[in-house]
Amino acid sequence: MKHVAIIGGGVIGLSAALECARRGHRVSVIERAPTQRGASLGNAGMIVPSHFTPLAAPGMIALGAKWMWNPESPFYIKPRWSWDLLAWAARFWKASTRERVDRAAPLLRDLHLASREAYARLAEEEDFGLVKRGLLMLCKTARALEQEAQMAAHARALGVPARVLDAKEAAALDPNVTMDIAGAVYFEQDCHCDPARYVATLEQRLRAAGAELIYDAEVTGWHRDEARLAAVHTTRGEIAADEFLLAGGAWSPALVAELGLRLPMQAGKGYSVTVPQPVEQPQLCSIFTEARVAATPIGNTLRFGGTMEIAGMDKRINPRRVAGILRAIPEYFPRFRPEHFEGLQPWCGLRPCSPDGLPYLGRTRAAPNLVVATGHAMMGLSLAPVTGQLVGQIIDHETPRIDLKLLDVDRFA
Ligand SMILES: Cc1cc2nc3c(=O)[nH]c(=O)nc-3n(C[C@H](O)[C@H](O)[C@H](O)COP(=O)(O)OP(=O)(O)OC[C@H]3O[C@@H](n4cnc5c(N)ncnc54)[C@H](O)[C@@H]3O)c2cc1C
């Protein structure tokens, strides 16, 4: 039995903590913002085997350049003089090739499918709002539908079921909501859940397993004993452990800089708005393809989320981007009108984005007893349970059940 100290109480840190506790380790989770929890509470709650394409993909740079001047656009890189941003953008550009995306796709598929299985197993014992009805990629234009149909063919080639539907077939699949679309692609294996309830479920299980949840403590530095890490300095004193897991989301790189570990990362800010009593409540979660907006029924509420704003560690709400999300809704769901969103408080979260769109997962040369699990970008909820399982295997020096070469923590060192 080891003592594992986990930095970060988001979905990644908590999922890993539960797996370590299940394996008989003593676990301490250190979290500084117990009510906010990074990007983990207000996200769109989608569990997505359909998302086997990393963010760094062909066409993304061109899309970013096209949307650069539109204050309501869903993807935006704020121009600023930052060496880290320039280096990140150069790596993103280098990673955005068909060959790299093709190499990453089977790995992402396997990770999402393993996570989906773990979510389904957990849902047999706990209710965190898991719905296994699939996801619709809604397309307003024939052109977008054509592109999504190509993606569907790619998915099928990878063994992920995907069906191209016309507008009538999509409406038959989710008769609860009126849609104004040309068609859709249906990914039947995708699911959704209530991310806040998933986090609460993990915490409840961790408490029952005797794990220590040290909330209101911020990790400020490290205490080294030669090559190994002996303890972390926190605002509530030093915490010693045998193994340390870095799961600090977008804040992770700053935390390990003093250890000489370079973890290129940018925060990808996204927003969500949750409608308490929607005029129509879909049964399935969906993505508005052209607008890049996600719509997820969560209990009796309906959450809309979107935007990827690379603008530094800035958690301020930009009303223009939120307006962009809200403006898209009636275009796809015409029964919704602007007044339905009046007075709603937007939420925002910073996604931890590596330059190649793949997580960092594994041990590092920076310290033999440090494991890193971060950089999940827009897939962190979906990949949380499998990340937790893999962290457990890494902590116990087992060979991970999935080849993690592409996720090497030191790949940009
Ligand atoms: C609008 C939006 C929609 C999204 N939708 C989805 C979706 O549908 N499906 C999906 O899979 N993903 C989605 N995501 C992405 C997902 O939310 C993230 O990938 C995920 O939350 C990352 O989890 P994490 O635990 O790595 O980081 P976080 O959730 O950011 O958690 C990191 C935690 O570490 C803590 N921390 C940081 N530094 C310190 C320190 N020094 N000391 C102590 N604690 C520290 C922070 O307070 C934070 O609580 C969405 C994101 C956004 C913004």
Side-chain angles (χ1 to χ4, degrees):
M1 177 177 146
K2 299 179 195 176
H3 180 197
V4 185
I6 294 176
I7 302 155
V11 278
I12 299 296
L14 292 174
S15 301
L18 190 58
E19 176 64 17
C20 291
R22 198 189 63 76
R23 286 169 169 259
H25 298 302
R26 182 182 152 209
V27 171
S28 303
V29 180
I30 309 163
E31 168 58 57
R32 65 159 177 223
T35 55
Q36 293 175 14
R37 229 53 79 68
S40 289
L41 301 182
N43 63 55
M46 294 180 178
I47 298 151
V48 278
S50 62
H51 281 41
F52 49 78
T53 305
L55 181 64
M60 281 306 285
I61 298 271
L63 207 56
K66 183 179 122 193
W67 277 334
M68 199 80 187
W69 313 110
N70 176 354
E72 293 187 2
S73 70
F75 181 55
Y76 173 71
I77 300 182
K78 182 178 176 185
R80 66 206 138 94
W81 289 114
S82 149
W83 176 245
D84 284 349
L85 175 63
L86 284 174
W88 183 91
R91 289 189 169 114
F92 186 99
W93 174 74
K94 220 172 138 197
S96 299
T97 65
R98 173 56 45 208
E99 189 234 330
R100 278 176 180 254
V101 167
D102 286 348
R103 217 168 345 132
L107 170 65
L108 289 175
R109 172 204 59 198
D110 292 348
L111 291 170
H112 284 298
L113 286 172
S115 251
R116 182 192 190 276
E117 197 184 311
Y119 270 119
R121 258 199 321 273
L122 182 63
E124 286 167 16
E125 294 163 22
E126 305 277 358
D127 182 7
F128 53 96
L130 184 73
V131 175
K132 295 188 285 180
R133 289 212 179 108
L135 171 144
L136 283 169
M137 295 293 301
L138 305 179
C139 303
K140 274 209 73 80
T141 61
R143 186 154 176 263
L145 187 58
E146 211 173 285
Q147 281 167 358
E148 283 307 308
Q150 283 170 21
M151 190 56 98
H154 189 184
R156 286 192 298 272
L158 281 168
V160 176
R163 259 196 300 143
V164 182
L165 310 176
D166 62 23
K168 245 187 174 163
E169 289 167 324
L173 209 57
D174 199 345
N176 282 15
V177 64
T178 313
M179 304 178 213
D180 183 2
I181 54 168
V185 170
Y186 176 52
F187 289 99
E188 66 183 53
Q189 286 181 331
D190 287 10
C191 319
H192 65 268
C193 73
D194 180 341
R197 279 170 77 190
Y198 175 59
V199 164
T201 300
L202 294 175
E203 286 177 339
Q204 182 201 319
R205 290 203 149 203
L206 279 164
R207 287 201 180 92
E212 200 183 7
L213 303 183
I214 308 169
Y215 287 179
D216 282 335
E218 176 167 4
V219 172
T220 53
W222 304 86
H223 177 167
R224 265 199 140 142
D225 182 5
E226 302 195 346
R228 288 180 74 77
L229 302 172
V232 279
H233 302 298
T234 81
T235 46
R236 284 176 59 182
E238 218 175 67
I239 297 167
D242 305 306
E243 297 272 4
F244 296 84
L245 173 71
L246 177 70
W251 296 271
S252 299
L255 272 163
V256 284
E258 75 169 80
L259 302 177
L261 172 55
R262 286 182 60 210
L263 221 50
M265 187 113 86
Q266 289 293 319
K269 184 159 57 178
Y271 303 94
S272 71
V273 172
T274 305
V275 183
Q277 286 163 326
V279 60
E280 287 182 329
Q281 178 70 324
Q283 296 174 333
L284 273 63
C285 60
S286 58
I287 292 177
F288 305 163
T289 305
E290 297 91 338
R292 317 246 159 173
V293 168
T296 312
I298 295 183
N300 294 326
T301 71
L302 181 56
R303 179 169 297 166
F304 296 98
T307 300
M308 175 68 86
E309 199 180 6
I310 309 283
M313 301 300 292
D314 174 4
K315 278 206 75 181
R316 279 172 303 181
I317 305 258
N318 179 341
R320 300 293 297 272
R321 304 262 165 227
V322 179
I325 295 173
L326 300 182
R327 206 184 303 284
I329 300 166
E331 291 175 15
Y332 293 78
F333 291 170
R335 289 278 160 82
F336 285 80
R337 273 192 289 282
E339 55 269 29
H340 294 142
F341 313 119
E342 273 167 18
L344 297 179
Q345 189 58 40
W347 169 92
C348 88
L350 301 179
R351 305 176 185 90
C353 300
S354 68
D356 57 4
L358 295 175
Y360 297 107
L361 180 54
R363 290 194 184 270
T364 156
R365 290 196 293 271
N369 57 338
L370 175 64
V371 177
V372 175
T374 186
H376 294 74
M378 67 272 202
M379 307 175 186
L381 176 89
S382 188
L383 297 180
V386 70
T387 301
Q389 290 169 1
L390 290 162
V391 166
Q393 292 185 311
I394 294 163
I395 293 281
D396 285 345
H397 295 277
E398 294 167 8
T399 306
R401 59 193 265 235
I402 295 177
D403 184 355
L404 301 179
K405 239 186 340 265
L406 290 178
L407 312 187
D408 183 1
V409 174
D410 296 315
R411 63 188 183 274
F412 298 113

